[in-house]
Amino acid sequence: MEQQRNSPLYSNYEDLRASELPTSSSAHMVNIASAQQPPEPESVHTNFKRNPVPEYRGFKTSENEPLGCMEWIVTLLSLLVFIITCPISVFICIKVVAEYERAIIFRLGRLSGGPRGPGMFFILPCIDQYRKVDLRTVTFNVPQQEMLTKDSVTVTVDAVVYYRICDPLYAIVRVEDYSTSTRLLAATTLRNIVGTRNLTELLTERETLAHNMQLTLDDATEPWGVMVERVEIKDVSLPTSMQRAMAAEAEASRDARAKVIAAEGEKKSATALKEASDVISSSPSALQLRYLQTLSSISAEKNSTIVFPLPMELLTPYLAKYMQLPPPQLPSDLSKEQQASYPQTIL
């Protein structure tokens, strides 16, 4: 039961009270157990009735404490004022809250029951005060936080927080301003979480960071009756110099991968050409067929130029013959300048 009382599923006081009411079977078992147990001494019942301990989910209040003499007098005077000004005071003392609102009433500074609403409720003039609490989900932008990451990089982070009130009484009694407190806590939590992460983790693991921030905020705001439903990181801004450095790094990485891919392609093409040359060299007619195929592709383009390949084997004997010839003899009566300018004839 204690876990159910602390669960955020109970969005209002009425749901909590309804969940704690015993069912028919449980009520029957309680009656049987009470019938079997011996009656307690009268003093115990008397003390319990005289000194009740008012609690609201473990939070003690003073709503059931006995009123003092002055408080009784002020209450009677308030009722008297209401009766005297009855036609007009009815419109002042009757209040209405919407379906998505709850009202917390304080009588002479003390809590008067749990949250009221939705619908109409009555307050006494001059001595009753009430505060309305909106139960709808509230969205706010966390101000831009400029901070340092774990690897000493300056970033600016924007986030959005969604929260709602799950316990109106806690939101009014246990914290002065739940909205401002939640906003300041969200900004501080965002700075703390970003300071423990590297830049790469901050850019690639946004969902994980948002989930961790949501859990941290929910645990911190639970005593205030506030439940953080969702946290989203909108944007992570980097300095211009860091953006240029990261762009240059990415470009260099892509160029390196492109060169590696091109080199692998050249290697594969060279291997394929070697295999093709081995196939052609194994058959003398294959080279002739390849030559005819090349001529066919050239003629298809309406080209008037035809290239005839000349095998290098035909020139081998002539090259060998000229390589064995001695260098030409110059006349001996020529000077050095004339020998340098003398035309050399290859026979």
Side-chain angles (χ1 to χ4, degrees):
M1 180 62 69
E2 186 65 26
Q3 295 180 356
Q4 293 182 357
R5 295 173 71 91
N6 296 329
S7 176
L9 296 176
Y10 301 102
S11 58
N12 51 51
Y13 182 74
E14 289 77 11
D15 295 341
L16 177 65
R17 295 293 297 274
S19 65
E20 294 181 351
L21 291 177
T23 58
S24 59
S25 58
S26 61
H28 181 66
M29 296 177 63
V30 170
N31 293 332
I32 295 176
S34 61
Q36 294 177 356
Q37 294 178 356
E40 297 180 359
E42 184 67 24
S43 60
V44 175
H45 292 282
T46 305
N47 294 333
F48 179 77
K49 292 180 181 179
R50 289 181 180 179
N51 300 319
V53 180
E55 290 188 1
Y56 179 77
R57 292 179 57 185
F59 180 70
K60 296 182 180 181
T61 60
S62 59
E63 55 181 315
N64 293 330
E65 292 183 1
L67 299 178
C69 179
M70 195 64 185
E71 293 174 342
W72 277 112
I73 295 174
V74 173
T75 303
L76 294 177
L77 290 177
S78 177
L79 290 173
L80 182 61
V81 171
F82 173 77
I83 294 173
I84 294 175
T85 61
C86 186
I88 301 175
S89 60
V90 171
F91 299 98
I92 300 175
C93 297
I94 295 179
K95 304 295 181 181
V96 178
V97 291
E99 182 69 29
Y100 53 85
E101 293 177 334
R102 296 294 183 270
I104 307 296
I105 301 177
F106 296 94
R107 178 165 298 170
L108 294 175
R110 297 181 179 181
L111 182 66
S112 179
R116 306 292 179 85
M120 182 176 62
F121 61 93
F122 177 82
I123 62 173
L124 292 177
C126 303
I127 63 173
D128 282 355
Q129 298 178 354
Y130 75 97
R131 295 277 302 275
K132 289 195 298 183
V133 180
D134 197 332
L135 302 181
R136 294 177 293 182
T137 299
V138 180
T139 306
F140 69 90
N141 292 324
V142 180
Q144 291 186 353
Q145 302 294 317
E146 186 175 358
M147 61 204 79
L148 285 175
T149 60
K150 188 177 181 180
D151 50 355
S152 301
V153 178
T154 304
V155 294
T156 303
V157 183
D158 294 341
V160 182
V161 178
Y162 302 84
Y163 74 92
R164 68 180 180 89
I165 302 299
C166 62
D167 196 322
L169 182 61
Y170 278 14
I172 296 299
V173 176
R174 304 195 69 173
V175 62
E176 180 180 2
D177 189 348
Y178 62 87
S179 178
T180 303
S181 301
T182 304
R183 294 170 188 268
L184 295 176
L185 183 62
T188 306
T189 305
L190 179 61
R191 296 180 67 91
N192 294 337
I193 291 180
V194 171
T196 59
R197 300 287 179 150
N198 296 327
L199 179 61
T200 304
E201 297 176 354
L202 188 62
L203 296 176
T204 58
E205 300 179 1
R206 292 191 181 184
E207 294 183 359
T208 304
L209 295 177
H211 182 65
N212 294 338
M213 183 177 175
Q214 186 261 335
L215 293 178
T216 305
L217 283 176
D218 196 17
D219 293 339
T221 58
E222 183 180 3
W224 305 340
V226 177
M227 183 176 68
V228 179
E229 296 180 341
R230 191 178 182 87
V231 176
E232 292 291 341
I233 296 179
K234 291 172 56 179
D235 187 23
V236 179
S237 302
L238 299 175
T240 306
S241 59
M242 180 59 64
Q243 293 179 7
R244 293 176 181 174
M246 294 180 65
E249 180 183 359
E251 184 178 358
S253 178
R254 292 190 183 95
D255 290 341
R257 289 197 299 266
K259 291 180 180 180
V260 171
I261 293 172
E264 292 178 354
E266 291 290 339
K267 180 180 178 181
K268 292 180 180 179
S269 63
T271 304
L273 288 175
K274 180 181 179 298
E275 294 176 357
S277 63
D278 294 339
V279 173
I280 292 175
S281 63
S282 63
S283 177
S285 61
L287 182 61
Q288 187 67 21
L289 292 176
R290 183 62 180 169
Y291 169 65
L292 295 176
Q293 185 180 2
T294 305
L295 291 179
S296 176
S297 62
I298 293 174
S299 62
E301 298 178 358
K302 297 180 181 181
N303 194 349
S304 60
T305 304
I306 299 177
V307 179
F308 291 94
L310 182 63
M312 295 300 296
E313 290 80 1
L314 298 176
L315 301 177
T316 303
Y318 298 98
L319 294 175
K321 178 181 178 182
Y322 285 107
M323 290 295 295
Q324 296 176 1
L325 292 177
Q329 298 294 331
L330 299 178
S332 59
D333 57 347
L334 296 177
S335 62
K336 292 183 180 181
E337 290 81 4
Q338 292 175 352
Q339 289 180 5
S341 61
Y342 188 83
Q344 297 181 3
T345 305
I346 300 176
L347 301 179

